[in-house]
Amino acid sequence: GIQVEQSPPDLILQEGANSTLRCNFSDSVNNLQWFHQNPWGQLINLFYIPSGTKQNGRLSATTVATERYSLLYISSSQTTDSGVYFCAVEREGGSEKLVFGKGTKLTVNP
Amino acid sequence: EAGVTQFPSHSVIEKGQTVTLRCDPISGHDNLYWYRRVMGKEIKFLLHFVKESKQDESGMPNNRFLAERTGGTYSTLKVQPAELEDSGVYFCASSYDRTYSPLHFGNGTRLTVT
């Protein structure tokens, strides 16, 4: 099956810093989504981004499908950004299910 | 609009007992998915409903797990009998379109089997 690798596995920042999270995948995809799992366990959909670039406030994401990676940018990080960020993909031509990476655990200190 | 709702939020049961988890998807979402995350591992797909039909149940671990979606509205996931390795967080998610729309997750049910 398709492999999804996220890096770094852990990231610690001071409030106000910027960061880039990476997601590499091993096959062509027709669906890629980024999720944030907050400290209470809720999984929040951040972006549906199989290709191109999107921005939502301090967050933006870019997927380069031809090179099989996606990046999530967090600018001016806040303590509420803490949690685990997951990348999930659906293989092109596969069944309609997302395969998740192991996540990047982000800690933003005040 | 109301989000995906799961009940209960937590469940602690003994090995051998039965537990039923419930999921109410976002209204109008025909696609309903169950995922789970066992301790320290990735979030893994369990199954996918389109309305009341099981589209893909390839992720169901074994026949102790039974999912239903009668009438194409809410769904239940029953574990009978529960084993220790079933402990984890069970997430339900729904989407409007199979592939080309965002997946919205519920808050999950944390299941502990002792």
Side-chain angles (χ1 to χ4, degrees), chain B residues 48-86:
Chain B
H48 170 207
F49 283 100
V50 177
K51 296 185 180 179
E52 67 275 8
S53 299
K54 291 178 185 174
Q55 184 75 13
D56 181 355
E57 51 183 333
S58 61
M60 295 287 263
N62 50 60
N63 59 10
R64 295 185 294 104
F65 289 75
L66 175 64
E68 294 180 324
R69 192 182 182 196
T70 306
T73 55
Y74 70 91
S75 175
T76 58
L77 179 64
K78 180 190 289 188
V79 185
Q80 179 182 30
E83 298 289 344
L84 298 178
E85 63 264 26
D86 301 332

Side-chain angles (χ1 to χ4, degrees), chain A residues 31 33 45 95-98, chain B residues 33 35 56 58 99 103 107:
Chain A
N31 186 349
Q33 304 189 31
N45 191 297
S95 61
E96 297 90 17
K97 63 185 179 188
L98 291 177
Chain B
Y33 303 80
Y35 286 80
D56 181 355
S58 61
T99 298
L103 196 60
N107 289 345

Side-chain angles (χ1 to χ4, degrees), chain A residues 12-18 76-81 107-110:
Chain A
I12 300 175
L13 302 174
Q14 285 301 120
E15 204 166 23
N18 303 326
S76 304
S77 58
Q78 300 176 357
T79 56
T80 51
D81 294 331
T107 303
V108 181
N109 293 319

